[in-house]
Amino acid sequence: SESSFINQFNIGLSLLSFSQKEAFCLQQEGFSLAQIAQLTASESETVRSRIRYAKQALKKHLEKYRG
């Protein structure tokens, strides 16, 4: 069901490191890589990597959930 998917998504988010969760959530809110880099005092490539790893971890968690 949708509510259990959302629950699993939230669990997946909670498993991310703070920096990955921060970058991923900011991107989902519509911030650009450059803006996220400025907000987090990080390099753009670092932000890009954090988002990539966050997406990979979420995908892996949700695929496990879906079985």
Side-chain angles (χ1 to χ4, degrees):
S1 77
E2 186 176 337
S3 65
S4 55
F5 177 82
I6 292 170
N7 186 44
Q8 286 301 313
F9 184 83
N10 287 332
I11 291 170
L13 271 181
S14 74
L15 298 173
L16 299 176
S17 71
F18 176 80
S19 59
Q20 289 174 347
K21 188 181 335 182
E22 177 182 50
F24 177 80
C25 289
L26 287 170
Q27 185 188 47
Q28 296 306 304
E29 291 292 326
F31 289 91
S32 70
L33 288 177
Q35 290 170 321
I36 298 168
Q38 186 176 17
L39 286 168
T40 61
S42 304
E43 297 292 326
S44 290
E45 284 301 315
T46 301
V47 171
R48 182 176 284 125
S49 293
R50 289 173 180 165
I51 293 169
R52 183 177 72 246
Y53 288 125
K55 287 179 178 179
Q56 288 173 352
L58 284 169
K59 182 179 178 185
K60 185 176 179 181
H61 176 77
L62 293 172
E63 283 174 348
K64 195 167 48 173
Y65 164 70
R66 292 177 73 182

